[in-house]
C-alpha cells in the first residue's frame, strides 16, 4: 500500500496539489508537497522578455572592445562585437513571426541549482516564436555534443523539471571541447542537426571553450551561434560584465543554514569545535559569503592566506590561539570554516606539492617510487606502495621521497600527520600529480591544532579541552531546489540566450544585470565572451581564459567581513539562517555578497 | 558600516520586521528575515491549554498499572499512578487563581530542535496562572542541577529564543543523576530553591533518571514534582504511551533534504556513489525515515542486519552486487544510506569489538599493548603506539593483539583496511573500550566495496567505475530551526508539563497524542514514567530502564519500506524533498514515519 493522499499532512492546498498531480500524471506520493508546488511556480522576468523584442547595441556600452591584440588574433571571427541589450520591439517596424529555430543545449561541469530553468527559458522562448522550433539537449555534457548523443526537449519531457534542482534531465560532464578532433566532432554534430544555436551552460572554462567553439564554427563557415550561460556555485565567474553565476545563491543558502546549525550545536552542547571545509577550490567566495551569513568564530579566506604568505604552521597557530583565548572564557567549543582550496594557497604547502609533483613525475605515475631509488625489482615495491593501506611500505617510500625534497619541504612533509603524508606522496591523479582536491584540510588542520594544543598544555599555557568534529560541505549544495532568485535568473538567462541565438550573436554570453532589483527591473542582453578574456601563459603557450574571479581583498564584501570578524571570535553571536524559504519574508532575499556587491 | 535595512532584500514585510526588531531591540542585520519572522510565530495548541484546565484520571486508561513487581519495589512512591489527561475546567466549580509556583527546568543530552519552546510553554503556563510564579533554568544540563548553577528565565531572557533552534539559552550536558551523592545534591538544590517542580527535557536515559530522582525526592519527603519531556532526534523514545519525541521531525527533514540533494547530484554528474551515514546509533529510525522520504538506491537498517545476522562481508557484497547491477545499466553512480550504529549490529564486528575490549582491558588503557606481551620498556612502546600517527608502531601492536583473538576475529581484523584496524585497536575511551561511535563505517564500507569490486573486475564479472564520496549527517540536524510541528509540539509539552507540576504529578512524562491531527485536536496529559519501564540485567544488577524503541520489522513503517525498496535500487526514482518550509503547502507536513505510524 503506497501512501495515499488521505495519509498526507493535515494541512495543504488540495486544489494546488490536484492541479500538479494532473499535470504530472503521476502518483502524488512520489512527490513532496513542496516539489509539487514548485512545479507551479512561474518565474518572474523583465516584461520585455514576455513579448516580441529586439536585440540592439547597448545604449551604454562598456569597454568591451578594448581587446588584447592576442585575443583578436585568436578569435578573428568573434571578437570586436558590441555589447547588446534586449529591448522592446519598436512598434513602427512590422513584427513578423519568428522563423523556426533549432537549438541545442548542454550542461558542462558540476551541477548548480537552476539549470533546468535555463532549459525552460530556452523552450519557452522557442515556443513563443514559432511552434515549429525545436530544442535538443546533449546528454552527459560536452561529450554528448562530440558523440552526437542527445534528446529532444519538449514541454512533455521538461515540465517535471521546471524549478527543480539537479542537471539530471540531460546529465553533465567535464569533457572539454579543445582538441582539433573534438572541435571537428562538435562542428559535425551542429551541422548534422542543423542547429541555429548551441547554448553551453557552464563555468569559466566551459565558457572559454564555448568561445573557442564559436570561433571554430564561424571559421569553418558554419551558422550555429554558440552562446554561453554563466553557471557555477563557486561564484568565481563574476566580472565587469557578469554580476553573478547561477547556483551560488541557492548553494550558499544551504551551506549557511548548515554552518549556522553547527554553530548553535557548538554553543548548545559546549563540547566540540565544528571545523567545516566549504566547496570552492580556486576562490573563497562561498566561505566569505557563509561567514557573512553565519558569523563563525573564525573563517579563513584563501586569498588572504596567499596575500599574507601564511604557512600551515601560521594557520594552525591562529586557530590554536583562538582556542586558547576562548578556553580562558570557559568556551571549549566553536565553529571554524575553511575554503576547499586552502592548502594550495599556503606558500609552504604549495612548494611541497610542486616539488612532489616534480619528484614523483620522475617515477611511473602509478607506484610512487622516485626513479633514482628504484630497487632491484621495482614492480614489486610498486605493488607494495600501491597498497595505500599498507603503512609499512608507504612510510619507506615517503622517507625515500623526502630525501629528494628541499630541506624546508622535507621538514614540512615529516611534520604532517602520517595519513596526510601518505596521501600527498601516494595518491596521485593519472598525470602523476598530487590530488590536491582530495586532501581533507579540515582534518589536517584539526589534527595539527590538537597537537599544538597538547604542546601548549604541557607548557602550561593552555588548560582547556579540545575536541574537533570535521565536515566538508559541497556536494549537498549542488542539486538542491533552486531559490526563487535562481529560478528567476536561470529562466531569464534561458530566454535571453534564445534571443541572442535568434539574432545571430555568436560567441556571446547571456546576462542579466541590476540583480539586486526585482526581476521585473533587470536589464538583459549579451556580452561577447572575448570581452572577458585574458591571455595566460601555460606550458609555454598563450592560452585564452576567462579569469576566475577571486575574493577582492580591497572590495566591500571582504572589507565588511574584515571589519566584523573580530567581534565574532569570542562573542558567539551566531546569525541564525534556517532553511531556505520559497514563501514569506526572506524568500526573495539575496546572498549578502550580492547585496553588498564588489 | 554594518548592513542596513536599505541593503536588505527587495521584498519582505517591513512591518513584521519592524515589529520583530522592536521586540528584540537589536540590530536587525544580525538576524535573517526568517529568524525575525519565526520570533513572531505563535505556536498552535489544543484550546484546553489556553484557559483554566484541570488534570484528571484519563477517561480511557491504558494498562499503565500492570507493573513488573520489581518496578514496584524500586519505585514505591511513584509507581501505580493513573494516566492523566488535561480537560476543560468544570464550570460548576469555582476557579481560583493558581498559587505562585516555582519551577526548575534543564536540558539533558544532545540538542534537538524545539527545546526552547518547552521553556516557552512552561513560562507561559506559569504566567497564565500567577504572575508571581518563577522559572529557573539549570545551566549545562543535569550538572547545573547538581552544582546549583542556574539562571532565572523571564520573558526578557526568553523571547529571543521562541521558535528558534538550539539549547543554548541553558546549554546541555550528559551528566547523569545516578549516584547517591548526585541524587542528594539534586535534592538539595530543589529544596534550597524551593522548587514546586523540576522539568527534565531528555531522552530515554534522562527520563529514567527523572523517575529515579522523582522517587528519591518523594522518599526524602521533598515536594518537588519531577516531570519528564520526551526529546531526541533519534526517534527512539516512542512507545505505547509516547507517539513521538520532539526534534525527530525537524532533524529528519534536514537529513532528507540533504540526501535528496545528493541523490540528484549522483544522477546529474553520473560519476560517484554518495554513501551517507545518518545519526541514530541504537536505532535506525532516522535512516528508515530518510529512506522513505528520498528513495535511495539502498538503505541499510541495523535492526534487519542484526535479525538476519549479516556480517560485514555480507553488507559489502550487497553493496557490490548493487553497484554491479547498476553498472550493467551504465549507471556508475547512486546513493546509499547507512545508520550510525551499523557496525555494532553486525555479528562478526560485534564479536571482534567484544574480544578487543577484553584483550585491551588487560593492558593499561592508554597504550594499547596487551599486558602479556609487555616489552622491556613498556612506557616507551606505549608512547610510540600512542602516536596513532605512527603506522610502524601501530602495526606491530595490532599484530600482537591479533594473536590474542579468536581465529575468526583475527581474520576479520586483518581483513580490515589498516586505518580501521588501527582505530579499533588504538583509539580507546577512558574505560579502555573501543570507541565504536568514532568508527566511520561509511568509509570502511566504501573502501571494502572498492576492494571487492577490484576483485570482481579482475575476475571479469564487473566492468564499471566506482568512486565513492562519503558523508556523515548528524550534528547539522540537532540545532536547526524547529519545524512548525516541533514548535507546536514543544510548546504544548511545556504547557502540559507545567499543568502536571501544578497538579502534583510527580514522576510523570508530559505527552500529546493524536499528533497526525491538527494541533487543536491533540489530546494532552501525562503518563507515569514507571509505566514505560522494564528491568534490564546489567553487570549483575537489576536496572530499571525505559526501553529504546528500535525499528519494528513487522510494523507498517518498515513493511512500507520493504515493499518499495526494490524499485528504488535501479530506477533512480528519487523523491525531491527540498528545504523545510514554514509557510505554504507542506509546511505542516509530518515525517512519513509519523504519518504511517507503527
Amino acid at each position: 500500500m503506497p501512501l495515499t493522499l488521505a495519509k498526507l499532512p493535515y494541512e495543504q492546498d488540495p486544489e494546488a496539489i490536484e492541479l500538479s498531480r494532473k499535470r504530472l500524471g503521476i502518483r502524488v506520493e512520489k512527490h513532496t508537497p513542496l516539489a509539487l508546488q514548485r512545479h507551479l511556480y512561474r518565474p518572474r522576468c523583465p516584461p520585455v522578455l514576455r513579448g516580441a523584442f529586439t536585440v540592439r547595441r547597448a545604449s551604454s556600452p562598456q569597454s568591451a572592445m578594448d581587446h588584447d591584440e592576442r585575443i583578436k588574433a585568436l578569435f578573428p571571427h568573434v571578437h570586436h562585437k558590441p555589447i547588446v541589450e534586449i529591448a522592446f520591439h519598436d512598434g513602427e517596424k512590422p513584427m513578423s513571426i519568428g522563423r523556426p529555430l533549432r537549438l541545442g543545449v548542454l550542461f558542462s561541469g558540476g551541477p548548480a541549482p537552476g539549470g533546468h530553468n535555463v532549459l525552460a527559458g530556452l523552450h519557452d522562448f522557442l515556443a513563443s516564436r514559432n511552434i515549429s522550433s525545436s530544442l535538443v539537449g546533449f546528454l552527459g555534457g560536452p561529450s554528448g555534443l562530440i558523440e552526437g548523443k542527445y534528446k529532444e526537449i519538449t514541454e512533455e519531457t521538461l515540465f517535471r523539471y521546471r524549478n527543480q534542482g539537479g542537471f539530471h534531465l540531460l546529465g553533465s560532464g567535464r569533457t572539454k571541447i579543445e582538441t582539433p578532433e573534438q572541435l571537428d566532432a562538435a562542428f559535425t554534430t551542429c551541422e548534422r542537426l542543423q542547429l541555429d544555436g548551441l547554448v553551453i551552460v557552464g563555468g569559466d572554462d566551459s565558457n572559454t571553450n564555448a568561445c573557442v567553439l564559436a570561433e571554430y564554427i564561424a571559421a569553418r563557415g558554419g551558422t550555429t551561434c554558440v552562446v554561453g550561460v554563466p553557471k557555477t556555485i563557486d561564484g568565481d565567474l563574476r566580472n565587469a560584465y557578469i554580476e553573478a553565476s547561477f547556483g551560488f545563491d541557492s548553494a550558499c543558502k544551504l551551506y549557511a543554514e548548515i554552518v549556522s546549525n553547527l554553530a548553535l550545536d557548538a554553543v548548545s552542547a559546549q563540547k566540540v569545535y565544528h571545523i567545516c571545509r566549504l566547496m570552492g577550490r580556486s576562490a573563497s567566495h562561498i566561505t566569505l559569503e557563509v561567514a557573512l551569513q553565519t558569523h563563525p568564530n573564525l573563517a579563513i579566506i584563501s586569498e588572504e592566506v596567499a596575500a599574507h604568505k601564511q604557512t600551515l604552521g601560521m594557520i594552525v597557530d591562529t586557530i590554536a590561539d583562538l582556542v586558547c583565548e576562548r578556553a580562558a572564557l570557559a568556551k571549549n567549543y566553536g565553529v571554524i570554516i575553511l575554503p576547499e582550496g586552502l592548502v594550495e594557497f599556503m606558500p609552504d604547502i604549495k612548494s611541497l606539492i610542486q616539488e612532489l609533483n616534480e619528484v614523483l613525475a620522475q617515477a611511473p605515475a602509478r607506484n610512487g617510487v622516485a626513479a633514482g631509488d628504484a630497487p632491484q625489482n621495482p614492480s614489486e615495491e610498486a605493488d607494495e606502495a600501491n597498497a595505500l593501506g599498507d603503512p609499512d611500505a608507504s612510510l619507506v617510500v615517503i622517507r625515500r621521497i623526502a630525501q629528494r625534497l628541499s630541506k624546508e619541504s622535507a621538514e614540512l612533509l615529516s611534520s604532517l600527520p602520517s595519513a596526510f603524508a601518505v596521501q600527498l606522496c601516494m595518491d596521485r591523479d593519472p598525470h602523476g600529480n598530487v590530488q590536491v582536491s582530495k586532501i581533507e584540510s579540515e582534518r589536517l588542520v584539526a589534527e595539527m591544532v590538537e597537537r599544538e594544543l597538547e604542546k601548549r598544555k604541557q607548557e602550561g599555557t593552555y588548560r582547556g579541552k579540545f575536541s574537533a568534529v570535521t565536515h566538508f560541505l559541497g556536494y549537498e549544495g549542488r542539486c538542491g531546489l533552486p531559490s526563487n532568485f535562481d529560478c528567476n535568473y536561470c529562466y531569464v538567462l534561458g530566454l535571453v540566450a534564445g534571443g541572442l541565438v535568434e539574432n545571430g550573436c555568436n560567441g556571446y554570453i547571456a546576462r542579466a544585470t541590476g540583480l539586486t532589483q526585482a526581476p521585473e527591473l533587470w536589464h538583459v542582453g549579451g556580452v561577447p565572451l572575448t570581452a572577458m578574456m585574458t591571455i595566460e601563459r601555460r606550458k609555454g603557450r598563450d592560452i585564452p581564459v576567462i579569469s576566475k574571479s577571486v575574493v577582492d581583498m580591497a572590495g566591500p564584501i571582504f572589507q565588511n567581513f574584515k571589519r566584523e570578524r573580530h567581534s565574532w571570535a569570542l562573542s558567539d553571536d551566531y546569525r541564525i539562517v534556517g532553511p531556505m524559504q520559497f514563501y514569506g519574508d526572506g524568500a526573495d532575499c539575496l546572498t549578502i555578497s550580492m547585496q553588498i556587491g564588489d
Side-chain angles (χ1 to χ4, degrees), chain A:
Chain A
M1 172 210 69
L3 290 177
T4 62
L5 255 182
K7 283 294 230 178
L8 273 170
Y10 50 82
E11 266 161 21
Q12 49 191 315
D13 177 353
E15 273 181 42
I17 293 214
E18 188 54 26
L19 177 55
S20 254
R21 202 171 64 81
K22 272 192 191 145
R23 287 193 59 191
L24 295 170
I26 42 179
R27 288 197 306 175
V28 69
E29 63 274 10
K30 289 253 163 170
H31 285 253
T32 53
L34 178 61
L36 289 168
Q37 199 171 38
R38 293 308 289 166
H39 280 293
L40 301 179
Y41 179 74
R42 193 166 171 230
R44 296 167 55 182
C45 68
V48 66
L49 293 173
R50 294 255 178 239
F53 58 75
T54 57
V55 170
R56 66 179 186 204
R57 183 179 284 261
S59 50
S60 57
Q62 286 160 283
S63 56
M65 281 152 291
D66 296 328
H67 287 337
D68 189 316
E69 286 299 320
R70 292 170 297 179
I71 300 280
K72 287 189 188 175
L74 285 165
F75 298 100
H77 294 84
V78 296
H79 92 282
H80 203 71
K81 289 187 175 179
I83 291 177
V84 296
E85 64 183 13
I86 286 176
F88 282 104
H89 179 73
D90 181 347
E92 289 178 17
K93 291 187 204 162
M95 184 67 200
S96 60
I97 191 167
R99 65 186 168 93
L101 292 175
R102 196 157 165 79
L103 240 74
V105 59
L106 63 86
F107 292 133
S108 181
H116 289 130
N117 271 24
V118 177
L119 310 185
L122 286 169
H123 172 273
D124 292 359
F125 170 80
L126 292 175
S128 76
R129 283 301 189 268
N130 188 312
I131 206 164
S132 305
S133 293
S134 62
L135 179 64
V136 301
F138 294 100
L139 302 177
S143 62
L145 175 66
I146 291 168
E147 297 162 17
K149 290 183 184 159
Y150 63 92
K151 68 164 94 159
E152 294 272 341
I153 300 175
T154 61
E155 179 58 20
E156 209 166 12
T157 49
L158 184 64
F159 76 113
R160 287 181 198 180
Y161 295 85
R162 285 177 186 263
N163 309 309
Q164 306 292 323
F167 275 11
H168 51 297
L169 174 53
L170 301 178
S172 186
R174 296 195 181 272
T175 306
K176 289 187 178 176
I177 309 169
E178 285 183 320
T179 67
E181 295 74 27
Q182 288 171 327
L183 286 162
D184 181 62
F187 175 69
T188 305
T189 302
C190 291
E191 290 291 302
R192 188 164 57 79
L193 295 177
Q194 298 183 294
L195 296 184
D196 296 292
L198 171 68
V199 176
I200 293 182
V201 180
D204 52 331
D205 276 351
S206 307
N207 274 290
T208 301
N209 284 192
C211 192
V212 170
L213 182 60
E215 173 65 29
Y216 181 89
I217 290 174
R220 291 272 304 257
T223 53
T224 309
C225 274
V226 183
V227 170
V229 169
K231 170 229 75 172
T232 161
I233 62 160
D234 292 350
D236 55 8
L237 176 44
R238 189 162 73 186
N239 53 44
Y241 307 106
I242 302 296
E243 291 184 6
S245 56
F246 78 76
F248 179 75
D249 184 75
S250 309
C252 284
K253 282 171 176 165
L254 179 62
Y255 301 143
E257 175 195 2
I258 295 176
V259 169
S260 134
N261 286 1
L262 292 175
L264 286 197
D265 187 72
V267 67
S268 295
Q270 309 203 349
K271 294 205 315 184
V272 302
Y273 274 85
H274 288 294
I275 302 185
C276 312
R277 182 169 49 118
L278 291 160
M279 210 171 240
R281 188 167 154 193
S282 308
S284 302
H285 298 295
I286 290 177
T287 303
L288 184 56
E289 168 65 27
V290 170
L292 288 167
Q293 284 201 35
T294 64
H295 303 183
N297 302 111
L298 180 65
I300 294 178
I301 302 298
S302 292
E303 288 82 348
E304 192 179 26
V305 168
H308 295 171
K309 298 193 171 44
Q310 293 176 314
T311 61
L312 177 60
M314 289 160 76
I315 299 287
V316 168
D317 275 342
T318 302
I319 298 175
D321 290 349
L322 175 79
V323 172
C324 289
E325 258 195 283
R326 293 178 58 83
L329 301 171
K331 294 180 173 186
N332 290 305
Y333 61 83
V335 65
I336 295 169
I337 61 177
L338 315 171
E340 184 183 11
L342 178 61
V343 290
E344 294 172 272
F345 288 79
M346 297 170 178
D348 52 343
I349 299 265
K350 202 170 163 183
S351 304
L352 171 62
I353 290 171
Q354 278 166 355
E355 288 184 40
L356 281 174
N357 283 343
E358 278 171 38
V359 169
L360 298 172
Q362 295 165 29
R366 286 191 54 253
N367 69 33
V369 181
D373 294 309
Q376 286 299 86
N377 183 347
S379 71
E380 206 173 278
E381 174 157 333
D383 283 347
E384 233 185 327
N386 247 332
L388 269 176
D390 181 351
D392 281 338
S394 305
L395 283 196
V396 172
V397 176
I398 291 171
R399 283 177 199 139
R400 206 169 288 170
I401 289 171
Q403 289 165 11
R404 303 173 61 95
L405 300 174
S406 69
K407 183 164 162 286
E408 293 75 22
S409 289
E411 278 176 13
L412 176 59
L413 185 63
S414 71
S415 77
L416 296 177
S418 65
F420 292 92
V422 170
Q423 199 183 8
L424 278 172
C425 294
M426 316 288 294
D427 199 7
R428 289 189 276 148
D429 72 12
H431 308 289
N433 289 324
V434 172
Q435 302 216 56
V436 183
S437 66
K438 285 198 178 171
I439 296 174
E440 297 176 300
S441 45
E442 71 283 17
R443 290 183 185 230
L444 172 64
V445 163
E447 279 196 41
M448 293 194 69
V449 167
E450 194 174 347
R451 203 193 280 176
E452 171 64 24
L453 291 169
E454 199 49 52
K455 204 185 82 190
R456 295 189 188 189
K457 201 168 247 178
Q458 283 168 13
E459 291 167 0
T461 56
Y462 166 67
R463 290 153 184 259
K465 280 184 194 172
F466 178 75
S467 174
V469 177
T470 59
H471 308 261
F472 173 52
L473 303 180
Y475 296 97
E476 44 279 87
R478 308 197 311 175
C479 287
L481 279 180
S483 63
N484 287 344
F485 171 78
D486 277 324
C487 284
N488 300 335
Y489 188 40
C490 290
Y491 186 72
V492 164
L493 290 173
L495 291 170
V496 170
L500 293 175
V501 167
E502 187 185 41
N503 286 274
C505 297
N506 188 31
Y508 275 71
I509 188 167
R511 70 164 182 170
T513 55
L515 298 176
T516 53
Q517 310 273 314
E520 289 75 13
L521 303 176
W522 294 349
H523 294 278
V524 287
V527 177
L529 282 161
T530 52
M532 305 193 294
M533 282 193 175
T534 54
I535 294 290
E536 279 188 14
R537 191 96 188 150
R538 286 184 193 169
K539 296 182 187 170
R541 284 176 57 204
D542 280 347
I543 306 285
V545 296
I546 296 173
S547 296
K548 276 189 203 296
S549 134
V550 296
V551 168
D552 174 9
M553 285 171 58
I557 303 173
F558 183 83
Q559 287 299 318
N560 213 301
F561 161 73
K562 196 176 165 189
R563 206 164 28 239
E564 302 277 332
R565 64 178 161 186
H566 299 290
S567 70
W568 304 338
L570 305 176
S571 68
D572 307 348
D573 197 6
Y574 308 121
R575 190 164 169 274
I576 296 165
V577 175
M580 179 167 73
Q581 298 296 296
F582 295 106
Y583 316 99
D585 280 349
D588 292 285
C589 188
L590 300 176
T591 55
I592 293 177
S593 302
M594 242 186 288
Q595 289 176 44
I596 299 177
D598 250 347

